[in-house]
Amino acid sequence: RIETLPDTEERERLLASIATLAAMIDATLKFARDSTAPEDWRRTDIAALLASIVDDMEDAGLPVTMAPADPVVLECQAGGLRRAVTNLVDNAIKYTPAYGRIAVTLRIEAAKAIMSIADSGPGIPAEFYSKVTQKFFRMEASRTTPGNGLGLSLAAAVFKLHGGEMRFSDNEPGL
C-alpha cells in the first residue's frame, strides 16, 4: 500500500510511475479504439487540424509556428491523427532548447499530403531513425527525460493506418 510508505519522496516517485503507466495504457487503448472504429473516419481538412494543434501549443514555452496552407481535405480518423501529430509536436518541444523554434508545414507533393514538424533541437543520429519508432525504444541520452518509448511507435502506426509513413531527416540543427 502506497500510503504506508514512510518516505514521502519514494511515495511521490511511485505515484508518478503509476501516472505514467496509466497514461501509457490510456494512449494504447485510444489507438486501439481509433484503429477499429471505421465510423470515426470522416473528411477532414488537415490544414485546419494542424493549425488547431499549433494553436493549442501557444503556451508550450517555445514558439510553434505554422506556415499558411491551403485546405487539404482527406478521409481520415481525425482523433487518432490529432494525437499522433500532437505527440510529434510535444516531442519537438521536449527536446528543443529554450531558445529554439518549431515549425509545422503542410504541402502537396505528387498527390500526397506531406506534413513536417521541424525543430532546432539536438536531433537524432541517422543510425537511430529506423529504431525510434520501435515500441519501447528510447535513445540512451533520453533516459532522464519523461516518456515510455511508445509515442513515436504509436504515431507511426497512425500514419501507416492512413496509408502514410513517418520519415526523419536532419534539420541542421534539429530533426
Side-chain angles (χ1 to χ4, degrees):
R1 295 179 41 157
I2 292 175
E3 66 268 5
T4 62
L5 289 174
D7 184 351
T8 302
E9 187 175 310
E10 178 68 6
R11 182 175 39 244
E12 293 302 316
R13 190 187 63 73
L14 287 171
L15 288 173
S17 294
I18 290 168
T20 299
L21 287 172
M24 180 176 69
I25 291 167
D26 186 51
T28 304
L29 290 173
K30 282 179 182 175
F31 171 74
R33 183 186 66 235
D34 291 346
S35 63
T36 59
E39 67 276 4
D40 289 341
W41 287 65
R42 63 183 178 276
R43 293 179 58 75
T44 302
D45 179 358
I46 303 302
L49 180 87
L50 292 176
S52 171
I53 292 168
V54 169
D55 286 346
D56 290 347
M57 300 293 172
E58 186 176 24
D59 297 326
L62 283 173
V64 180
T65 61
M66 180 173 169
D70 291 332
V72 176
V73 179
L74 301 173
E75 186 78 20
C76 70
Q77 203 295 323
L81 200 54
R82 172 179 282 282
R83 276 190 289 286
V85 173
T86 298
N87 178 271
L88 297 177
V89 174
D90 280 340
N91 275 356
I93 291 167
K94 188 186 315 182
Y95 294 106
T96 299
Y99 55 83
R101 66 192 184 292
I102 298 160
V104 177
T105 59
L106 175 66
R107 68 182 191 284
I108 299 296
E109 188 175 289
K112 293 183 180 184
I114 310 291
M115 291 181 233
S116 172
I117 293 105
D119 65 58
S120 60
I124 298 173
E127 64 265 22
F128 291 110
Y129 289 173
S130 64
K131 295 178 182 180
V132 294
T133 57
Q134 295 172 1
K135 292 179 185 102
F136 303 111
F137 177 83
R138 298 191 67 206
M139 289 179 31
E140 192 59 39
S142 70
R143 298 279 179 194
T144 57
T145 304
N148 51 46
L150 277 178
L152 290 179
S153 65
L154 289 175
V158 168
F159 291 123
K160 184 176 181 181
L161 180 68
H162 287 82
E165 64 182 318
M166 225 165 55
R167 293 183 189 168
F168 301 93
S169 63
D170 191 343
N171 195 38
E172 301 176 6
L175 188 67

